[in-house]
Amino acid sequence: MSNNPTLCIQVDAELQLRLSELRYAKEIYALVIRNKEHLQRWMPWAEAEVSLDGIREYLKFSLLQFANGEGCQWGIWYQGKLAGAIGYNNFNWANYKVEIGYWLDAAMQGKGLVTKACSTLVTYAFDEYGLNKVEIHCGVDNKRSRAIPERLGFTQEGIIRQAEKFRDHYADQVFYGMLASEWNALHKGRSS
């Protein structure tokens, strides 16, 4: 079996987005376990028990989602090592839009990795999938996560109260949106 990823988007010389395949289950599991406390603060799924088998089931679901054209999940690979995850959560083909979700190893924050990965996926959504809108939803108090759509020029469209349920509380989410026409205006001269 080849060591080359099945689907890989080369962001720059050091950064790749690789389709989340079953062969990466151990690396994903190790990264989630290492960051579990960090992730639990912002992502309800991280509060659940994490197992290698659970990661494998998630990857099977993600690959089925990809095969059915319903979404796509990638690993963020920096200098050949898994640093986080990013993906299209649930394509909305009726309205030609998608939400991008992401998380990053706490030790990798501050390098601009998610901003670059997000920018690449926004361009990909518009150019390759012909979508009209990309959304990013973040916890209202998650300043690092919110900085990404703000840095990329997204418009804050609103706050949904108690949008996510954690074990012991509900959390508000802020919604950001970017239209294809806005992205093209911001990135004049890019190839489409």
PDB file of all heavy atoms in Angstrom, residues 140-164:
ATOM      1  N   VAL A 140     -19.144  31.557  21.171  1.00  0.00           N
ATOM      2  CA  VAL A 140     -19.030  33.008  21.356  1.00  0.00           C
ATOM      3  C   VAL A 140     -17.762  33.383  22.130  1.00  0.00           C
ATOM      4  O   VAL A 140     -17.112  34.379  21.819  1.00  0.00           O
ATOM      5  CB  VAL A 140     -20.295  33.562  22.054  1.00  0.00           C
ATOM      6  CG1 VAL A 140     -20.102  34.984  22.529  1.00  0.00           C
ATOM      7  CG2 VAL A 140     -21.486  33.483  21.119  1.00  0.00           C
ATOM      8  N   ASP A 141     -17.396  32.570  23.105  1.00  0.00           N
ATOM      9  CA  ASP A 141     -16.235  32.881  23.939  1.00  0.00           C
ATOM     10  C   ASP A 141     -14.917  32.336  23.399  1.00  0.00           C
ATOM     11  O   ASP A 141     -13.870  32.555  23.996  1.00  0.00           O
ATOM     12  CB  ASP A 141     -16.462  32.344  25.359  1.00  0.00           C
ATOM     13  CG  ASP A 141     -17.641  33.015  26.040  1.00  0.00           C
ATOM     14  OD1 ASP A 141     -17.852  34.217  25.806  1.00  0.00           O
ATOM     15  OD2 ASP A 141     -18.353  32.326  26.800  1.00  0.00           O
ATOM     16  N   ASN A 142     -14.959  31.644  22.268  1.00  0.00           N
ATOM     17  CA  ASN A 142     -13.755  31.047  21.704  1.00  0.00           C
ATOM     18  C   ASN A 142     -13.050  32.066  20.795  1.00  0.00           C
ATOM     19  O   ASN A 142     -13.215  32.074  19.573  1.00  0.00           O
ATOM     20  CB  ASN A 142     -14.103  29.770  20.933  1.00  0.00           C
ATOM     21  CG  ASN A 142     -12.882  28.967  20.559  1.00  0.00           C
ATOM     22  OD1 ASN A 142     -11.772  29.483  20.517  1.00  0.00           O
ATOM     23  ND2 ASN A 142     -13.093  27.699  20.275  1.00  0.00           N
ATOM     24  N   LYS A 143     -12.262  32.917  21.409  1.00  0.00           N
ATOM     25  CA  LYS A 143     -11.617  34.026  20.691  1.00  0.00           C
ATOM     26  C   LYS A 143     -10.665  33.550  19.594  1.00  0.00           C
ATOM     27  O   LYS A 143     -10.606  34.144  18.522  1.00  0.00           O
ATOM     28  CB  LYS A 143     -10.899  34.930  21.682  1.00  0.00           C
ATOM     29  CG  LYS A 143     -11.870  35.678  22.561  1.00  0.00           C
ATOM     30  CD  LYS A 143     -11.174  36.634  23.501  1.00  0.00           C
ATOM     31  CE  LYS A 143     -12.230  37.437  24.217  1.00  0.00           C
ATOM     32  NZ  LYS A 143     -12.099  37.563  25.599  1.00  0.00           N
ATOM     33  N   ARG A 144      -9.925  32.496  19.845  1.00  0.00           N
ATOM     34  CA  ARG A 144      -8.985  31.990  18.826  1.00  0.00           C
ATOM     35  C   ARG A 144      -9.729  31.489  17.591  1.00  0.00           C
ATOM     36  O   ARG A 144      -9.340  31.739  16.467  1.00  0.00           O
ATOM     37  CB  ARG A 144      -8.112  30.885  19.398  1.00  0.00           C
ATOM     38  CG  ARG A 144      -6.993  31.381  20.265  1.00  0.00           C
ATOM     39  CD  ARG A 144      -6.064  30.211  20.607  1.00  0.00           C
ATOM     40  NE  ARG A 144      -4.931  30.634  21.372  1.00  0.00           N
ATOM     41  CZ  ARG A 144      -3.757  31.004  20.850  1.00  0.00           C
ATOM     42  NH1 ARG A 144      -3.595  30.998  19.558  1.00  0.00           N
ATOM     43  NH2 ARG A 144      -2.771  31.370  21.624  1.00  0.00           N
ATOM     44  N   SER A 145     -10.809  30.755  17.822  1.00  0.00           N
ATOM     45  CA  SER A 145     -11.586  30.230  16.700  1.00  0.00           C
ATOM     46  C   SER A 145     -12.277  31.352  15.941  1.00  0.00           C
ATOM     47  O   SER A 145     -12.315  31.336  14.706  1.00  0.00           O
ATOM     48  CB  SER A 145     -12.615  29.218  17.223  1.00  0.00           C
ATOM     49  OG  SER A 145     -13.229  28.557  16.158  1.00  0.00           O
ATOM     50  N   ARG A 146     -12.797  32.311  16.649  1.00  0.00           N
ATOM     51  CA  ARG A 146     -13.476  33.445  16.016  1.00  0.00           C
ATOM     52  C   ARG A 146     -12.512  34.301  15.198  1.00  0.00           C
ATOM     53  O   ARG A 146     -12.909  34.921  14.205  1.00  0.00           O
ATOM     54  CB  ARG A 146     -14.156  34.316  17.075  1.00  0.00           C
ATOM     55  CG  ARG A 146     -15.348  33.642  17.725  1.00  0.00           C
ATOM     56  CD  ARG A 146     -16.019  34.546  18.702  1.00  0.00           C
ATOM     57  NE  ARG A 146     -16.630  35.678  18.006  1.00  0.00           N
ATOM     58  CZ  ARG A 146     -17.411  36.555  18.587  1.00  0.00           C
ATOM     59  NH1 ARG A 146     -17.701  36.449  19.875  1.00  0.00           N
ATOM     60  NH2 ARG A 146     -17.933  37.559  17.903  1.00  0.00           N
ATOM     61  N   ALA A 147     -11.263  34.352  15.611  1.00  0.00           N
ATOM     62  CA  ALA A 147     -10.280  35.184  14.902  1.00  0.00           C
ATOM     63  C   ALA A 147     -10.073  34.719  13.459  1.00  0.00           C
ATOM     64  O   ALA A 147      -9.747  35.525  12.589  1.00  0.00           O
ATOM     65  CB  ALA A 147      -8.949  35.176  15.655  1.00  0.00           C
ATOM     66  N   ILE A 148     -10.306  33.441  13.197  1.00  0.00           N
ATOM     67  CA  ILE A 148     -10.057  32.917  11.848  1.00  0.00           C
ATOM     68  C   ILE A 148     -11.026  33.499  10.829  1.00  0.00           C
ATOM     69  O   ILE A 148     -10.592  34.116   9.855  1.00  0.00           O
ATOM     70  CB  ILE A 148     -10.025  31.379  11.867  1.00  0.00           C
ATOM     71  CG1 ILE A 148      -8.767  30.939  12.625  1.00  0.00           C
ATOM     72  CG2 ILE A 148     -10.029  30.798  10.458  1.00  0.00           C
ATOM     73  CD1 ILE A 148      -8.852  29.649  13.315  1.00  0.00           C
ATOM     74  N   PRO A 149     -12.341  33.354  11.006  1.00  0.00           N
ATOM     75  CA  PRO A 149     -13.224  33.976  10.006  1.00  0.00           C
ATOM     76  C   PRO A 149     -13.090  35.491   9.969  1.00  0.00           C
ATOM     77  O   PRO A 149     -13.210  36.103   8.898  1.00  0.00           O
ATOM     78  CB  PRO A 149     -14.632  33.537  10.434  1.00  0.00           C
ATOM     79  CG  PRO A 149     -14.505  33.104  11.849  1.00  0.00           C
ATOM     80  CD  PRO A 149     -13.098  32.613  12.010  1.00  0.00           C
ATOM     81  N   GLU A 150     -12.821  36.103  11.112  1.00  0.00           N
ATOM     82  CA  GLU A 150     -12.647  37.562  11.128  1.00  0.00           C
ATOM     83  C   GLU A 150     -11.419  37.964  10.324  1.00  0.00           C
ATOM     84  O   GLU A 150     -11.452  38.921   9.547  1.00  0.00           O
ATOM     85  CB  GLU A 150     -12.578  38.053  12.575  1.00  0.00           C
ATOM     86  CG  GLU A 150     -13.917  37.910  13.291  1.00  0.00           C
ATOM     87  CD  GLU A 150     -13.880  38.164  14.784  1.00  0.00           C
ATOM     88  OE1 GLU A 150     -12.789  38.476  15.333  1.00  0.00           O
ATOM     89  OE2 GLU A 150     -14.951  38.038  15.423  1.00  0.00           O
ATOM     90  N   ARG A 151     -10.323  37.211  10.479  1.00  0.00           N
ATOM     91  CA  ARG A 151      -9.089  37.480   9.734  1.00  0.00           C
ATOM     92  C   ARG A 151      -9.301  37.290   8.234  1.00  0.00           C
ATOM     93  O   ARG A 151      -8.699  37.997   7.418  1.00  0.00           O
ATOM     94  CB  ARG A 151      -8.012  36.517  10.245  1.00  0.00           C
ATOM     95  CG  ARG A 151      -6.607  36.900   9.937  1.00  0.00           C
ATOM     96  CD  ARG A 151      -5.607  35.937  10.596  1.00  0.00           C
ATOM     97  NE  ARG A 151      -5.670  36.007  12.043  1.00  0.00           N
ATOM     98  CZ  ARG A 151      -5.842  34.954  12.858  1.00  0.00           C
ATOM     99  NH1 ARG A 151      -5.962  33.734  12.378  1.00  0.00           N
ATOM    100  NH2 ARG A 151      -5.873  35.112  14.160  1.00  0.00           N
ATOM    101  N   LEU A 152     -10.168  36.333   7.871  1.00  0.00           N
ATOM    102  CA  LEU A 152     -10.406  36.032   6.461  1.00  0.00           C
ATOM    103  C   LEU A 152     -11.467  36.925   5.820  1.00  0.00           C
ATOM    104  O   LEU A 152     -11.762  36.782   4.644  1.00  0.00           O
ATOM    105  CB  LEU A 152     -10.804  34.557   6.306  1.00  0.00           C
ATOM    106  CG  LEU A 152      -9.704  33.544   6.626  1.00  0.00           C
ATOM    107  CD1 LEU A 152     -10.254  32.121   6.588  1.00  0.00           C
ATOM    108  CD2 LEU A 152      -8.527  33.700   5.672  1.00  0.00           C
ATOM    109  N   GLY A 153     -12.044  37.839   6.602  1.00  0.00           N
ATOM    110  CA  GLY A 153     -12.994  38.792   6.040  1.00  0.00           C
ATOM    111  C   GLY A 153     -14.439  38.339   6.034  1.00  0.00           C
ATOM    112  O   GLY A 153     -15.275  38.937   5.356  1.00  0.00           O
ATOM    113  N   PHE A 154     -14.759  37.275   6.778  1.00  0.00           N
ATOM    114  CA  PHE A 154     -16.147  36.813   6.881  1.00  0.00           C
ATOM    115  C   PHE A 154     -16.989  37.874   7.589  1.00  0.00           C
ATOM    116  O   PHE A 154     -16.475  38.681   8.363  1.00  0.00           O
ATOM    117  CB  PHE A 154     -16.223  35.523   7.706  1.00  0.00           C
ATOM    118  CG  PHE A 154     -15.933  34.259   6.942  1.00  0.00           C
ATOM    119  CD1 PHE A 154     -14.702  34.055   6.327  1.00  0.00           C
ATOM    120  CD2 PHE A 154     -16.881  33.263   6.859  1.00  0.00           C
ATOM    121  CE1 PHE A 154     -14.428  32.885   5.645  1.00  0.00           C
ATOM    122  CE2 PHE A 154     -16.623  32.083   6.180  1.00  0.00           C
ATOM    123  CZ  PHE A 154     -15.396  31.894   5.570  1.00  0.00           C
ATOM    124  N   THR A 155     -18.278  37.837   7.347  1.00  0.00           N
ATOM    125  CA  THR A 155     -19.235  38.731   8.004  1.00  0.00           C
ATOM    126  C   THR A 155     -19.873  37.992   9.172  1.00  0.00           C
ATOM    127  O   THR A 155     -20.338  36.863   9.014  1.00  0.00           O
ATOM    128  CB  THR A 155     -20.347  39.152   7.014  1.00  0.00           C
ATOM    129  OG1 THR A 155     -19.740  39.859   5.934  1.00  0.00           O
ATOM    130  CG2 THR A 155     -21.397  40.010   7.683  1.00  0.00           C
ATOM    131  N   GLN A 156     -19.876  38.640  10.339  1.00  0.00           N
ATOM    132  CA  GLN A 156     -20.606  38.057  11.467  1.00  0.00           C
ATOM    133  C   GLN A 156     -22.089  38.255  11.194  1.00  0.00           C
ATOM    134  O   GLN A 156     -22.555  39.380  11.031  1.00  0.00           O
ATOM    135  CB  GLN A 156     -20.220  38.726  12.787  1.00  0.00           C
ATOM    136  CG  GLN A 156     -20.953  38.125  13.961  1.00  0.00           C
ATOM    137  CD  GLN A 156     -20.560  38.737  15.295  1.00  0.00           C
ATOM    138  OE1 GLN A 156     -19.407  39.102  15.506  1.00  0.00           O
ATOM    139  NE2 GLN A 156     -21.522  38.842  16.196  1.00  0.00           N
ATOM    140  N   GLU A 157     -22.817  37.155  11.122  1.00  0.00           N
ATOM    141  CA  GLU A 157     -24.221  37.216  10.736  1.00  0.00           C
ATOM    142  C   GLU A 157     -25.180  37.110  11.911  1.00  0.00           C
ATOM    143  O   GLU A 157     -26.362  37.392  11.754  1.00  0.00           O
ATOM    144  CB  GLU A 157     -24.519  36.111   9.712  1.00  0.00           C
ATOM    145  CG  GLU A 157     -23.731  36.314   8.439  1.00  0.00           C
ATOM    146  CD  GLU A 157     -24.053  35.306   7.362  1.00  0.00           C
ATOM    147  OE1 GLU A 157     -24.553  34.210   7.673  1.00  0.00           O
ATOM    148  OE2 GLU A 157     -23.804  35.627   6.195  1.00  0.00           O
ATOM    149  N   GLY A 158     -24.690  36.693  13.045  1.00  0.00           N
ATOM    150  CA  GLY A 158     -25.578  36.610  14.199  1.00  0.00           C
ATOM    151  C   GLY A 158     -25.070  35.666  15.259  1.00  0.00           C
ATOM    152  O   GLY A 158     -24.057  34.981  15.085  1.00  0.00           O
ATOM    153  N   ILE A 159     -25.790  35.669  16.361  1.00  0.00           N
ATOM    154  CA  ILE A 159     -25.485  34.785  17.481  1.00  0.00           C
ATOM    155  C   ILE A 159     -26.728  33.953  17.759  1.00  0.00           C
ATOM    156  O   ILE A 159     -27.835  34.489  17.855  1.00  0.00           O
ATOM    157  CB  ILE A 159     -25.071  35.587  18.732  1.00  0.00           C
ATOM    158  CG1 ILE A 159     -23.739  36.297  18.458  1.00  0.00           C
ATOM    159  CG2 ILE A 159     -24.985  34.671  19.957  1.00  0.00           C
ATOM    160  CD1 ILE A 159     -23.272  37.220  19.555  1.00  0.00           C
ATOM    161  N   ILE A 160     -26.537  32.653  17.851  1.00  0.00           N
ATOM    162  CA  ILE A 160     -27.616  31.739  18.201  1.00  0.00           C
ATOM    163  C   ILE A 160     -27.431  31.379  19.675  1.00  0.00           C
ATOM    164  O   ILE A 160     -26.393  30.835  20.062  1.00  0.00           O
ATOM    165  CB  ILE A 160     -27.598  30.461  17.328  1.00  0.00           C
ATOM    166  CG1 ILE A 160     -27.619  30.814  15.849  1.00  0.00           C
ATOM    167  CG2 ILE A 160     -28.759  29.533  17.717  1.00  0.00           C
ATOM    168  CD1 ILE A 160     -28.866  31.524  15.385  1.00  0.00           C
ATOM    169  N   ARG A 161     -28.419  31.706  20.463  1.00  0.00           N
ATOM    170  CA  ARG A 161     -28.334  31.441  21.896  1.00  0.00           C
ATOM    171  C   ARG A 161     -28.478  29.953  22.183  1.00  0.00           C
ATOM    172  O   ARG A 161     -29.287  29.277  21.560  1.00  0.00           O
ATOM    173  CB  ARG A 161     -29.402  32.227  22.651  1.00  0.00           C
ATOM    174  CG  ARG A 161     -29.227  33.738  22.497  1.00  0.00           C
ATOM    175  CD  ARG A 161     -30.325  34.538  23.149  1.00  0.00           C
ATOM    176  NE  ARG A 161     -31.625  34.157  22.636  1.00  0.00           N
ATOM    177  CZ  ARG A 161     -32.724  34.073  23.389  1.00  0.00           C
ATOM    178  NH1 ARG A 161     -32.699  34.357  24.663  1.00  0.00           N
ATOM    179  NH2 ARG A 161     -33.866  33.721  22.846  1.00  0.00           N
ATOM    180  N   GLN A 162     -27.681  29.485  23.110  1.00  0.00           N
ATOM    181  CA  GLN A 162     -27.711  28.095  23.580  1.00  0.00           C
ATOM    182  C   GLN A 162     -27.768  27.098  22.415  1.00  0.00           C
ATOM    183  O   GLN A 162     -28.568  26.174  22.396  1.00  0.00           O
ATOM    184  CB  GLN A 162     -28.866  27.895  24.561  1.00  0.00           C
ATOM    185  CG  GLN A 162     -28.717  28.751  25.792  1.00  0.00           C
ATOM    186  CD  GLN A 162     -29.729  28.442  26.880  1.00  0.00           C
ATOM    187  OE1 GLN A 162     -30.591  27.585  26.737  1.00  0.00           O
ATOM    188  NE2 GLN A 162     -29.611  29.155  27.994  1.00  0.00           N
ATOM    189  N   ALA A 163     -26.881  27.285  21.461  1.00  0.00           N
ATOM    190  CA  ALA A 163     -26.859  26.469  20.247  1.00  0.00           C
ATOM    191  C   ALA A 163     -26.200  25.106  20.445  1.00  0.00           C
ATOM    192  O   ALA A 163     -26.443  24.192  19.664  1.00  0.00           O
ATOM    193  CB  ALA A 163     -26.140  27.218  19.129  1.00  0.00           C
ATOM    194  N   GLU A 164     -25.340  24.983  21.461  1.00  0.00           N
ATOM    195  CA  GLU A 164     -24.650  23.716  21.700  1.00  0.00           C
ATOM    196  C   GLU A 164     -24.852  23.280  23.139  1.00  0.00           C
ATOM    197  O   GLU A 164     -24.752  24.079  24.063  1.00  0.00           O
ATOM    198  CB  GLU A 164     -23.140  23.857  21.466  1.00  0.00           C
ATOM    199  CG  GLU A 164     -22.746  23.930  20.031  1.00  0.00           C
ATOM    200  CD  GLU A 164     -21.246  23.874  19.871  1.00  0.00           C
ATOM    201  OE1 GLU A 164     -20.552  24.733  20.431  1.00  0.00           O
ATOM    202  OE2 GLU A 164     -20.772  22.960  19.180  1.00  0.00           O
TER     203      GLU A 164
END
